[in-house]
Amino acid sequence: MTAQSTSADGSPPTATPPTGPLPTGPLPTGTPPTGRLPTGEPLRAWADRTSCVQGGELAFHLTGAAGSAVRVRITDAVSEQTRLIATVRAPDWTLAVPGEWPSSLYRATFDVPLENRPTTDEAEHEVWFAVRAAFTGPATPAGTAPPAGPATSTGTRAPAGTRAPAGKATRPAPSRILVSIPFATWRAYTHAGQPHRGLYYSEQPYRAARVSFASPGGGPPPERWEEGLLRWLPAAGYQVDFCSGLDLHDGDELLSHYRLLVVNGHDEYWSMEMRDSVENFARRGGNVAFFAANTAWWQMRLEDDGRTMVCHRDAVTDPMTATDPRRTTVEWSSAPVDRPENAMTGLSFRRGAGAWGEGMAVMGKEAYTVRFADHWAFAGTGLTDGEPFARGALGYETDACALEWTDGVPRATGVDGTPGSFVVLATADLRHWREYGQGGAATMGVFRLGAGTVFNAGTINWGSVLADDPVADRITRNVLDRLSGAAPGDGWDAAGAPDEVRALAACASVLFGADTRGRLLCREVSGQNLPWRPVGLAPGVQALASAREAAGGLPLELYAATEDGRLLRRDPEPAPVPGEDGEEWTRVGQVPPGTTGLALCDAGIFAVTPHDDTLHYLSALALDEPWQVLGDAGGAIALTTLSCRLWAVTADGRLRTRLPAGPSDGPVAFADAGTAGPPPHPRTTLAAHAGVLYATAPGAPLRVCGGPALPSR
């Protein structure tokens, strides 16, 4: 049914909709004189879907009005700007969403003018929905910015994630950021505790296992965990697009238009298809920022063309357990699903904390403690390791991961499913929350997922402090700017504090270093800011190398080049290993004078001498043979081996690579890699492990490059 406009006092409708900006503020209700009892049944409303594309249509349904003239006011819930006031007739009405309405979260409020109708606890006279951006043209591959230029809206209804045909309205510019609204969690909390109506509470035998999105209610809970970030985004100058979390179900096409997905607040219920889409998006190079917690705790299923959410929360009663256990509606980390959410989010509520009921007041007292102040997430904050920040942002539920500590530095152990690339940025000890609900911890961190990056703030309540906390504001900007591509990094992230290391090699899953004081150091190969630990001596060593496992029949050993031209070898033990003569290293040959870089590949040893820009070769199986000159070194000052290629860094900071061709293969030149090198330094050293490059120099921090790229062709 077509909407007709009406004046705020309920006078007869006019023939044309209102034009120009509409007033903001509370909607006049025409309440009868004081003392009059409420009249009529509560007015209830719902929509067919939780989102609609710009220029599409959304059908609404009303009960309790029985053909009455009903007033609807539609408000942009982010800007609080009123977009439409109209009079409609119950029971059905279809909204034609104008193509010029911005992608946002909207609230439709229904009332009967001049009647004081009772309302319900679940605000069932309100309907919340998201308006998605309409796109034309090809989708953008994950990890790249969307194409420039306007995207047009559609005049037809479109299912989630589909591109709309051209229309008369245009968007000013595409956004790189998509914000998901957790409609599934909002619906799950509707009618909580009511038998056969709400999914909550877990211990109630008569809780519902199926709830419909095509029913009244389903708006944000009273705490409105999502609101803080949603209000902050436009105030901070960010243009973002919105979608319903249900749009991520088979959401590959939708996500392909964006560089960054933001998951906000309390997004607890995820379908397998939602999770698959988001993980695939990240693996292809898209990025994800979770300003949230208790994320993807329950697996749910969508049925009835997405209108019904199924969540038994129990493998015994879910019939899917017997036919397709992957889809059983239990916690993601529980049997028979056994797919911890950590693999997508890095963190889990299983090791987090929760304060419920009156205990929620404790949220205002808690703060994070910085654990890696040199990380890009803290750039511009002025924080140092050990400082508290973001007081009041933790709660009412938090996510965390299993940690072990080395000299006050935490590291994710991975025993709970957290990826090995996870870097801990901040922690909070919340074990005392046991008296309020669940004792545990909170963790903030970042990790690689395929070609993408995932950040997790580890708390539901992050958005609540953004308007008043400049540090939380700066961290949020750093994350959004970096992961949306607005201020991309150079590909090299800090992995440790400045030190005096001048030689690096990774061997047997240990990162070894030799420093300017003649010590052999070691630490885990990790992006975490772990301290170096002295494990022996390395006098005069200025280059280190090691063979890859099962390469050319060589044992796993460390090789070293010294300032006086010796080639040394020792076992890769993170402890002193004196030989028969009492020395830790065994001399096995010599290196070309002036060698500063050493690498092993395919049973060959490669060395660079920067003073004459020469690359040298020696068979590791014939160490008494003379070195052979392969040609120029392309300006290299350091070498390493990664994925059967030589990688080098130059004094001016270029990263270069070439195949490890020997003397019989003919000349092969170094070429600039598709990734920038580390900051220039005349004594940069390089190492590689498991697809990752590490670089440092005396007085410089250890840096890690998780995705070195080959030269462009």
Side-chain angles (χ1 to χ4, degrees), residues 360 413 465 478 509 693:
M360 290 173 69
T413 66
V465 303
N478 289 344
S509 298
L693 289 176

Side-chain angles (χ1 to χ4, degrees), residues 102-272:
S103 176
S104 189
L105 174 65
Y106 288 84
R107 180 180 65 252
T109 305
F110 295 87
D111 78 309
V112 180
L114 303 180
E115 289 190 15
N116 186 24
R117 286 178 176 263
T119 58
T120 64
D121 291 340
E122 302 285 353
E124 293 175 326
H125 64 295
E126 293 183 342
V127 179
W128 296 72
F129 62 98
V131 170
R132 307 189 311 276
F135 292 98
T136 58
T140 304
T144 60
T152 59
S153 71
T154 176
T156 60
R157 179 177 175 185
T162 59
R163 284 175 284 167
K168 63 181 179 179
T170 61
R171 301 176 65 227
S175 172
R176 297 181 175 191
I177 303 173
L178 179 66
V179 178
S180 173
I181 303 297
F183 280 98
T185 300
W186 289 359
R187 173 56 61 183
Y189 277 82
T190 302
H191 306 308
Q194 299 182 30
H196 307 293
R197 297 192 70 193
L199 287 178
Y200 281 82
Y201 296 93
S202 293
E203 300 300 322
Q204 292 179 324
Y206 301 111
R207 67 183 184 276
R210 304 167 61 90
V211 293
S212 174
F213 292 101
S215 61
E223 300 87 357
R224 303 200 175 196
W225 304 111
E226 292 73 36
E227 189 169 272
L229 179 63
L230 297 186
R231 294 289 173 84
W232 176 87
L233 284 166
Y238 288 93
Q239 177 192 329
V240 302
D241 288 341
F242 290 79
C243 73
S244 164
L246 304 185
D247 294 324
L248 302 178
H249 186 90
D250 295 328
D252 289 358
E253 210 297 21
L254 172 65
L255 288 169
S256 69
H257 293 280
Y258 297 94
R259 184 75 175 268
L260 170 64
L261 171 67
V262 172
V263 176
N264 174 32
H266 193 187
D267 202 344
E268 185 177 355
Y269 287 79
W270 286 56
S271 69
M272 187 177 76

Side-chain angles (χ1 to χ4, degrees), residues 13-31:
T14 62
T16 57
T19 59
L22 292 169
T24 59
L27 176 66
T29 60
T31 304

Side-chain angles (χ1 to χ4, degrees), residues 539-588:
V541 170
Q542 58 182 11
L544 289 170
S546 68
R548 185 184 174 115
E549 299 88 341
L554 296 176
L556 279 178
E557 293 179 307
L558 280 177
Y559 290 78
T562 65
E563 295 171 326
D564 58 4
R566 291 174 296 152
L567 179 63
L568 308 178
R569 189 168 62 192
R570 63 159 275 172
D571 291 338
E573 296 294 330
V577 285
E580 294 181 358
D581 57 0
E583 298 292 331
E584 292 186 31
W585 295 85
T586 300
R587 181 170 182 171
V588 293

